[in-house]
Amino acid sequence: ATGPNDSMGTAGVNAMQIGLGASLASITTKITGTGGSQRTDGWSDLMIEGDGFFVVQNNGTNYFTKAGSFNVDANGNLCTPSGALVMGWQVSEDDPSRCKSDTVSALRVMAPDKMFSEPAATTQCIVKGNIDQNDTQLAPDAEGRVANIQFYDNLGNLYTMELNIKHAGEDAGDDGAFNSTYAVTIANVYNEKGDSIFVEEVIDEDGVKSYQQTAYTGFSVNGEGGVTVETEDDFEQTGNIRLEMEPLLLSFDSVTGRFKSIDGDESLEGYNEETNPFMTFNMAGETEGTPFQRVTVDFSALTMFSQSGTTTLECARGTRASSAEGAGKPVGNMTGISIDKYGKIYGSYDNGDSNLLGQVVVATFPNAAGLEAVGNNMFATTQNSGSFDGIGKDILTTGGKFNPGVIEMSNVDLANEFTDMIITQRGFQANSRIITTSDTLLEELINLKR
């Protein structure tokens, strides 16, 4: 611009404003906003409700994503559809019920050692039911009533111990307690195939079958070597054996019919001869290196009421207070996997176990918008986003949670985008109509001249 010049007789001239056009200030990706949710009911699908990103690894580099549509690869690793490993915390070696907050590593939820759940030996059993003193099968010279106790060893093998109960007869003594005292003996112990564990079948080269004793020649009852295995004269041909033991005396109150006591293991804490409810047995006996454990059998749930001469006996693993306490279990095969709202991954097994397999964690950043998009819904850290400490966070500490069986959809407001598109389209249509109208007016003007 120039001002007026009186000496030259010129007036002032305004500056010419030349526009430079429109320029783009910046492009901001809204990756912190939460999108809509889509239910899939897939156990490996997760949606983050709150701040944070899943930590994944590709070619040894950690990346971050909001897309929680995961699956399992051939090695049992939890991974993304593009092949990145989902990272998290591993189960603590000291406490299998929690995960160790440590440097994140690949979550191998279906590793070979996680496909099975360890067995446990039975340590507690209970005998319940009712013994009717008028039952003819309980006579001292009768066969007696049978109660089968099933128990597991350390390897998960199931065994059945056959108990025999009948009137004690002469063993009851001369105190008039014949009708309220019963003799308990052990008849045999069988494996899962129904074969006695004390007898082994042998077939020679000519196909002739015979029998021989196994390494189990006896076992302890009530802390002592109370049972010995005796073979019959025709044992080699028939495999017939008998177990020799002093009968255990099971006593009831002759007035109330309630249980009183059974001969028990004096080594038990709080042992009382008059009110002891337990007997114990240990199949290991004198044999070393066996997987058996001592089993305590509780008889206190038995009664001696009249039931028309019918005795009912039932045995179960566990205690009177809990059917799971000391019950033991076989080896478990994995039947399913689930993830809870805190990211903890659990495996379910057909023996009733539910084991912790790992935990999905999240990463948070001071400036999440500063992350760099690298494709496949993954982001990498930059100098302006903040760094990842390599450990991550439990999502509970961020104030958020996971939504299992749900995946997050795009956080674009589709309704607003469609509205803007319609407005733009209508505006374009209106502008095109202005041109058409102007053209029509000019054409009409020319026609008027003619």
Side-chain angles (χ1 to χ4, degrees), residues 30 410-420:
K30 188 180 179 182
S410 172
N411 60 4
V412 174
D413 189 343
L414 293 179
N416 185 65
E417 295 299 322
F418 272 111
T419 301
D420 289 344

Side-chain angles (χ1 to χ4, degrees), residues 46-106:
L46 285 177
M47 174 180 173
I48 298 175
E49 294 188 356
D51 295 333
F53 294 81
F54 296 108
V55 183
V56 297
Q57 189 178 95
N58 193 15
N59 293 326
T61 303
N62 289 330
Y63 296 101
F64 312 93
T65 181
K66 283 279 192 177
S69 179
F70 304 136
N71 50 50
V72 178
D73 67 8
N75 287 335
N77 296 304
L78 196 63
C79 61
T80 67
S82 61
L85 299 173
V86 179
M87 310 296 281
W89 294 339
Q90 304 299 328
V91 179
S92 171
E93 296 180 358
D94 300 328
D95 184 2
S97 65
R98 66 178 185 86
C99 289
K100 185 178 181 180
S101 176
D102 202 348
T103 302
V104 294
S105 55

Side-chain angles (χ1 to χ4, degrees), residues 371-385:
L371 294 172
E372 176 187 1
V374 294
N376 293 322
N377 287 321
M378 296 191 300
F379 298 87
T381 57
T382 66
Q383 291 183 348
N384 198 40
S385 65

Side-chain angles (χ1 to χ4, degrees), residues 385-400:
S385 65
S387 60
F388 174 58
D389 61 3
I391 298 176
K393 297 179 180 179
D394 186 330
I395 195 169
L396 184 63
T397 64
T398 67

Side-chain angles (χ1 to χ4, degrees), residues 188 272 310 312 421:
N188 213 328
N272 187 316
T310 301
T312 57
M421 183 182 68

Side-chain angles (χ1 to χ4, degrees), residues 110-193:
M110 296 184 70
D113 61 328
K114 295 177 180 178
M115 298 302 294
F116 301 94
S117 176
E118 292 186 1
T122 300
T123 58
Q124 300 285 342
C125 288
I126 182 172
V127 179
K128 51 189 176 181
N130 183 75
I131 295 178
D132 192 325
Q133 61 184 354
N134 299 316
D135 189 343
T136 56
Q137 293 188 37
L138 295 178
D141 55 351
E143 295 181 355
R145 285 286 186 173
V146 173
N148 288 333
I149 296 177
Q150 292 188 321
F151 60 96
Y152 291 101
D153 64 10
N154 287 333
L155 303 179
N157 297 308
L158 181 65
Y159 298 90
T160 301
M161 173 177 285
E162 183 180 303
L163 295 183
N164 185 277
I165 301 176
K166 58 183 178 181
H167 283 300
E170 296 179 356
D171 293 327
D174 300 328
D175 57 356
F178 169 78
N179 285 332
S180 58
T181 304
Y182 297 83
V184 179
T185 56
I186 299 173
N188 213 328
V189 180
Y190 303 96
N191 58 23
E192 291 185 78
K193 296 180 179 179

